[in-house]
Each structure stands twice: as C-alpha cells, then as structure tokens.
Amino acid sequence: MLPTHRLSMPNEKAVYDDDNKYEKLNNKPFRGTKGLAAFLKPRQLILLIASIVAIWIVYRHSNPPTTDDLVADTTTTTTSINTDTSNDDLLNGYIPPIPDRPSTNEDKIDWHRPEGDTTKGSSPPQPQPPSSSSTTGPYLFTQHPPLASLHHVDDADAAYKQQRIVDAFRHAWKGYATDAFGKDEYQPLRHQGRDWAPGGIGLMIVDALDTMLLMNLTDEYQQAREWVATRLDFDKKQDVNVFETTIRVLGGLLSAYHLSGNDPVYLEKATDLGQRLIGAFQTNSGIPYSSIVLSTGLPFTAHVPSSTAEVTTIQLEFKYLSHLTGDYKYWDAAERVMYKMKDLVDAGEPTIDGLVPILIHPISGKFTTSEIRLGSRGDSYYEYLLKQYLQTQKSEPLYMDMYRQSVRGIRQHLLARSQPNNLLFIGELHNLNSLGQISPKMDHLVCFIGGSFALGATQGLRLAQEPLMTHVDEQDLELGREITRTCYEMYNTTATGLASEIVYFNTQEDSQQDISIHPGDRHNLLRPETMESIFLMYRITGDPIYREWGWKIFEAFEKYTKLPDGGYTALRDVTSIPPTQDDRMDTFFLAETLKYLYLLFSPDDMIPLDHYVFNSEAHPLPVFSPNKP
C-alpha cells in the first residue's frame, strides 16, 4: 500500500523514520538557472518592474478585454509539456522517450457533444458540472451495474453507522476547507496547509473526490470539482514522486471521471498529468525513475534507486488511461516494467520463489539490495500483481501466475507465529543467505495483504455467490482471515485502541505478550491498510465480526483523533492516555480510511468487487475488456 511523506518544518520535532521510505519530492524550489533579478541591482530591478507595469496599463486602456477574453480568463487550459532535452543537469545523459503508438481508439473519449453534433476533430466543449441525467437515480455517482440503494433498507444499525462515517468525513473536510482549501497537505493543529509544488497539485482535493461521490455529498463535491476545473494546473517547476502522484492524483482523477458519468474535466486533467509522468520511463532498462519534474516531464535523476513498490504500482492507472484515450504509450511503459520484473523473478537471484527485493535501479534494471519485505518499499508490488489480472477481466494470466508464485513464497519464507496467543504474522527477510531467520518486525502497511489473500481466493466474488474455489484458494482465504485478525489485534492491544506504525512479535515460548512496540514506532497516522482488509473480508465472507472490529476502530478514531472545530489529527503515541497529538491529517484518511469504513457498512452491491478494482489509494476503477492493438 502507500507510505507517507513528511516535509521538515521549522520547530517540528516529530519526523518519523518511516516517513522517508519513499522520496516523493524534494522540498526545495526547483534547481534551475538564476533569474534576471540575480543580475540586476535593486534600483535597476525596481525601474524595470515599474516600466513593465506602465506599459501594461497603457496597453489595457487601449485594448479593453472582450467578452470572449473574460470567459477565457476563467477557464483552465491544458499546458503542453516542454520536451526540450537540453537540460543536462536533469538528465545526465538523455535517453529518447518511448515512441508514441498510433491511436486506434480516437472516439473512446465521450466529450458529451450536443445531440446531432458529429463534427470530427473539434475541440471539446468547456467542462460543465455533470447534469442529473448523468447520474444514477438520486445519487451523484454512477456505477455499473447500477446500485439499488445507497443505504441498507433492512438494517437500521448499519445505516446508522454508515451515516456516522459520512458525518466524520464532513467534519474532516470542514477543517481542511476552512483552514487550507486548495493546499496539498493539511496541518489541523496549526490550522494551515502546505503544498508539494507552488500552487499545489490538488493532492487533498483530488484524493477525496470519489469518496464525496460515493457518499453523495453534493455541496462538498461541487466545491471540489470547481477547484479542479478552474485551479488545478500541473505546469509546475517541481520534482514530484511518480508513484505517489499516480496513485493519489492520477488515480483520483480517473476514478472521478468514471463515477461522475464521464465528466470530461477529469479526463482532460488526467491526460495532461499522464503526459508529464510518462517521462520517468526514459531508461534503457524500462524501470522508471522515481521522480519527474512536472513542468518538463523529464526525469529527476537524483532520486535513485527506485523502490520496487514505486515502479510496479502505477500499472492500473496507466492501463486505464490508455483504455480511455486510445493512446497506448502509457500501457506499453507500465507493461514493460512488469516484463522486466518477470525476467528478474525467473532469473532467481536475488529473488526467491516470487519474492523480490525492495530497491531497484532504473539505469541497470537490477535490484540493489537483497532485503525482502511486504511493508514499506515492497508492499504494493504484490497487491498489483493480483489486481492487474482482475482489472482486464482475467485476460492476462501472467499476473495471476506471478501472484500465486509470490503467495507460495510468502507461505514458505515469511510466515511465523507469536507467543503466547499464536498470532500469525508476516516477517521480513533481511538477507537471502539467512533463509528461515526472519525478523519479527511488521509494518502496519503489511495489513493490506489479508484482504488481498481473500480477493485472490474468490477473484472478487462473495462466498454467497458460491465461487469456484480450489483447495489452495480455501487455504488463501484462511490465511487472509488470520492475518486480518492479527492486524486487528495491533489495534486491540494498545491503550487507545489504535495501532502503531510498526510492531514486533514475540516468538519466545515464555513471552507474556504477543506484541511489542518500540518507542520510535508508537505513532498512528490514520492509516487505512487494516480497514481495507476488514472491508474486503466482510464483503467476501459476510462475517459480522469484521463490522464489529471496524466500528470499534472507528470509535477510537472519534475519541482520540477528532478535533472540535473540524479535522482529525495523527497521534505520536498510541500507548498512552491521553495520547500526544501530531499535526497532520494525511490525504489517505479521506481517500481510504473513511471510504473503506463507509463501504463496510454500505450495501454489498455498492462498487461490487467483481466489477471494480481499488487502486493502492482506494480509488475504484472499473474492470474492462482490453482492446489494445
């Protein structure tokens, strides 16, 4: 699943070691050439600025704006990417980009032309809010197959809890919208926000869009959509992490496009962003750089090596973007990474039984460590193996084969049990020369895997639908049950009822407690991974215990992280009462944690798992039949 990033702030003490797992961006201004101001004396600079202002005033007086000019000023345009490859400081040896494939699907995008308008090649109309006719019944969102009811009509308890979670989202959004609307990140204790790039890239807003749609929050959604349509701009001189920007922003835009009934503003923005992100793949190995500069679309080569999870957790988004636009350069780039991973797995060194190390270099295309884990830097590689198979209607069996091989590797090399209560956990392998000696450390990030085991066992079907399951599938489902129970116990054993970022399991026979938490690992960042597995386990099995666990965790969030005037806050120590608060409400709290909670108490036909896959940021993308040439 996803990591988190913390920018260093003045007088801020809590900077966690785990926050630097992925170098998502460099928190400094873009390092380009010096501007004109560097070569002028202050007096000369003042005279120059005054002259420019005077000329502009005379020009506007002589050429007043027309009505068309005023309309154009309120419309965000898509800025083309500067493909100048002369910046040696950025590229350190430029490699030509992957050639574009000719589009064979030019009519795939539905621009909603007026009835009777069949003009080919015309520009799309300016984005407008979706009309009520584009939604399903009284709901903001549309899904396929259609939803029967937004709420449980025969389960008052579930309907009440679902509404409580909607109220929690609105409370969180109230704090952000009041204090930091338009900012990428939110600091609820300071009542302020901060950006990844000057002016922001819509991180919080875009990440929350589909949650608003699913919750039918009309006012909040229209506020967010207007900002996307009129303010969101990716032409920024800033390096950003490709993985994080893909799962949060690109994934959020693509999901919103589908759920909104194909509102064109989202696909326009997604295509613009995709054209910038594709520059990371300009390598001979096919392994992308971890960062690009948004304004140029060129790789930022200082951030190497890439993490395995970074380069293998963009495939769902890139493939769906190709499917919608008919431009298959995104698909080809993403697929090339997976073919490279398959070659490395088949070579067997330093991989073992489908398990892969956590760091890979984009130049050599080789792993740079032998460390294997399902937590930070490795996690979502395994998640996306399964989901790539499901996304294209099971038409790419290669990915299911790779997934099943990795599950066998997990069983053989990473599983162990704690004492005294025999909790099953997934450890870490620090060295391939010491097989059988795993570290008992387990990140909260690992907790996505319980739900993935269940999803792989039934391939999205509920047990009530009587899916065909082999003996291995039944074993995988049981494995999912046990790991999800362990992750719940990571919450259940703390004073606050909230899990720490990392735990260690005790394996000695005389242990009195199964779980230990080191002082530096006691923080809680409002993470979603356990809630994801609880939701998937409930949706697939129908076992009411998962709703009980989910509600208990939600009440702990309400008790210890909810702020009186709006917003929720992370905690620095879940083992003490009262817990010390931390000044952050990450975007995934709105995009994932509250969404999975909401779906846990929603009808089973809302975003059915055999018709949708969730990306690593919980953005639902529809299953489709590929028409790739």
Side-chain angles (χ1 to χ4, degrees):
M1 299 301 289
L2 70 160
T4 187
H5 174 75
R6 191 181 192 85
L7 304 177
S8 298
M9 300 296 290
N11 302 318
E12 186 162 19
K13 296 180 180 179
V15 179
Y16 307 122
D17 291 340
D18 60 290
D19 289 340
N20 296 317
K21 296 166 188 170
Y22 298 76
E23 294 187 68
K24 292 191 280 192
L25 61 100
N26 191 309
N27 188 35
K28 296 180 180 179
F30 178 74
R31 292 159 295 283
T33 57
K34 294 182 179 180
L36 183 61
F39 301 98
L40 296 177
K41 295 180 179 179
R43 181 181 179 84
Q44 293 173 314
L45 181 60
I46 293 171
L47 289 173
L48 176 61
I49 294 172
S51 299
I52 293 172
V53 171
I55 293 170
W56 181 84
I57 292 173
V58 171
Y59 170 78
R60 294 301 286 179
H61 182 72
S62 304
N63 300 275
T66 65
T67 302
D68 291 340
D69 293 332
L70 293 174
V71 173
D73 286 344
T74 64
T75 304
T76 300
T77 58
T78 300
T79 307
S80 61
I81 297 172
N82 176 6
T83 56
D84 177 11
T85 60
S86 62
N87 192 338
D88 293 335
D89 289 337
L90 281 177
L91 293 180
N92 298 329
Y94 178 74
I95 299 170
I98 299 170
D100 290 352
R101 280 189 112 136
S103 174
T104 59
N105 197 22
E106 65 178 6
D107 294 328
K108 187 68 180 180
I109 303 175
D110 179 10
W111 293 117
H112 302 289
R113 291 191 177 94
E115 196 170 353
D117 180 2
T118 58
T119 305
K120 287 284 185 181
S122 60
S123 298
Q126 296 302 329
Q128 298 295 327
S131 64
S132 59
S133 61
S134 69
T135 61
T136 301
Y139 313 134
L140 276 176
F141 71 97
T142 181
Q143 68 168 51
H144 305 287
L147 179 68
S149 175
L150 193 66
H151 314 287
H152 280 283
V153 296
D154 56 354
D155 189 338
D157 182 66
Y160 164 76
K161 291 174 178 176
Q162 183 197 45
Q163 184 57 50
R164 282 280 308 278
I165 294 159
V166 172
D167 294 341
F169 180 95
R170 298 186 75 172
H171 186 81
W173 182 259
K174 172 188 173 185
Y176 168 72
T178 300
D179 297 335
F181 185 73
K183 295 291 185 181
D184 289 330
E185 296 183 346
Y186 179 37
Q187 297 168 283
L189 302 183
R190 287 188 179 93
H191 299 285
Q192 66 184 33
R194 55 191 176 190
D195 285 328
W196 281 17
I201 59 172
L203 200 70
M204 184 74 76
I205 291 175
V206 174
D207 225 5
L209 278 170
D210 55 13
T211 308
M212 296 175 188
L213 284 163
L214 293 174
M215 291 182 175
N216 213 41
L217 297 177
T218 303
D219 292 342
E220 291 85 351
Y221 172 70
Q222 294 298 350
Q223 179 190 27
R225 185 200 175 278
E226 180 181 4
W227 189 92
V228 171
T230 62
R231 300 290 301 277
L232 181 58
D233 176 19
F234 298 118
D235 189 27
K236 306 292 175 63
K237 290 185 177 180
Q238 179 66 58
D239 52 288
V240 297
N241 180 269
V242 173
F243 159 74
E244 290 288 353
T245 306
T246 296
I247 65 170
R248 300 193 193 201
V249 185
L250 183 60
L253 290 168
L254 293 173
S255 180
Y257 173 72
H258 171 76
L259 292 175
S260 65
N262 297 355
D263 185 339
V265 69
Y266 299 125
L267 189 55
E268 291 170 14
K269 300 293 185 182
T271 303
D272 178 31
L273 180 57
Q275 289 172 349
R276 299 171 190 277
L277 296 175
I278 196 71
F281 294 82
Q282 296 169 17
T283 64
N284 285 331
S285 70
I287 299 299
Y289 285 98
S290 63
S291 300
I292 56 98
V293 178
L294 282 172
S295 59
T296 63
L298 300 178
F300 184 75
T301 59
H303 294 166
V304 291
S306 301
S307 75
T308 302
E310 285 178 331
V311 304
T312 59
T313 313
I314 44 86
Q315 280 68 22
L316 297 183
E317 299 83 359
F318 275 42
K319 286 182 175 182
Y320 188 49
L321 182 59
S322 285
H323 177 71
L324 292 175
T325 64
D327 187 345
Y328 282 88
K329 66 185 177 188
Y330 310 109
W331 189 305
D332 290 344
E335 191 170 61
R336 189 180 176 201
V337 176
M338 299 312 300
Y339 288 159
K340 179 65 175 179
M341 295 300 296
K342 180 66 165 63
D343 289 344
L344 291 170
V345 168
D346 289 345
E349 188 176 348
T351 70
I352 181 168
D353 296 328
L355 304 179
V356 297
I358 60 173
L359 295 174
I360 189 168
H361 204 288
I363 299 299
S364 67
K366 296 181 179 180
F367 293 113
T368 62
T369 180
S370 61
E371 185 176 356
I372 292 173
R373 61 175 182 246
L374 268 66
S376 62
R377 299 185 182 272
D379 46 9
S380 47
Y381 163 71
Y382 305 96
E383 175 191 3
Y384 268 37
L385 289 178
L386 171 63
K387 290 182 176 180
Q388 285 183 81
Y389 171 70
L390 298 177
Q391 181 187 35
T392 55
Q393 293 190 343
K394 308 172 188 177
S395 64
E396 299 174 284
L398 167 68
Y399 299 120
M400 179 53 100
D401 293 343
M402 293 176 70
Y403 168 74
R404 291 196 182 283
Q405 181 185 13
S406 70
V407 174
R408 290 194 296 270
I410 291 169
R411 286 183 175 278
Q412 184 170 353
H413 301 293
L414 299 182
L415 293 183
R417 291 191 179 273
S418 68
Q419 297 293 330
N421 292 307
N422 215 32
L423 297 178
L424 186 68
F425 68 91
I426 297 175
E428 298 181 354
L429 191 59
H430 291 169
N431 193 321
L432 289 179
N433 295 324
S434 58
L435 293 178
Q437 301 177 18
I438 64 170
S439 165
K441 170 179 172 284
M442 183 167 157
D443 295 356
H444 186 276
L445 291 166
V446 179
C447 286
F448 82 93
I449 197 67
S452 288
F453 288 143
L455 188 66
T458 70
Q459 299 186 23
L461 294 175
R462 294 177 289 116
L463 293 184
Q465 296 172 287
E466 300 182 351
L468 295 175
M469 296 174 62
T470 66
H471 178 63
V472 171
D473 291 330
E474 292 172 351
Q475 290 181 323
D476 287 351
L477 180 59
E478 183 59 29
L479 180 58
R481 290 182 194 270
E482 288 209 57
I483 293 297
T484 303
R485 186 229 166 169
T486 296
C487 289
Y488 169 71
E489 292 299 335
M490 290 164 61
Y491 286 75
N492 194 42
T493 56
T494 70
T496 57
L498 294 172
S500 62
E501 181 72 1
I502 297 169
V503 301
Y504 289 80
F505 288 91
N506 298 315
T507 58
Q508 301 300 319
E509 291 186 1
D510 59 350
S511 299
Q512 299 300 308
Q513 294 182 325
D514 293 84
I515 295 173
S516 297
I517 304 174
H518 295 182
D521 303 328
R522 293 173 180 173
H523 49 287
N524 179 285
L525 304 180
L526 312 178
R527 283 203 186 275
E529 289 78 22
T530 295
M531 199 54 60
E532 175 184 6
S533 284
I534 286 175
F535 157 66
L536 289 172
M537 291 302 304
Y538 176 77
R539 179 67 67 86
I540 289 169
T541 69
D543 190 336
I545 191 63
Y546 298 112
R547 279 186 167 174
E548 293 180 21
W549 290 354
W551 186 249
K552 186 173 180 181
I553 293 171
F554 173 72
E555 288 189 311
F557 280 133
E558 289 287 282
K559 184 174 183 179
Y560 294 112
T561 72
K562 186 175 184 178
L563 299 174
D565 297 326
Y568 289 73
T569 185
L571 303 177
R572 294 185 180 181
D573 186 353
V574 298
T575 67
S576 63
I577 301 291
T580 303
Q581 295 176 330
D582 191 13
D583 193 14
R584 60 192 296 173
M585 187 184 85
D586 286 89
T587 70
F588 50 69
F589 184 62
L590 300 183
E592 299 188 73
T593 308
L594 291 178
K595 181 186 290 147
Y596 284 131
L597 271 163
Y598 174 77
L599 291 172
L600 177 64
F601 293 99
S602 296
D604 288 342
D605 63 342
M606 183 182 290
I607 311 297
L609 298 178
D610 54 337
H611 290 272
Y612 288 87
V613 290
F614 289 89
N615 86 334
S616 199
E617 191 76 4
H619 296 307
L621 302 174
V623 169
F624 62 87
S625 179
N627 51 8
K628 184 175 185 288

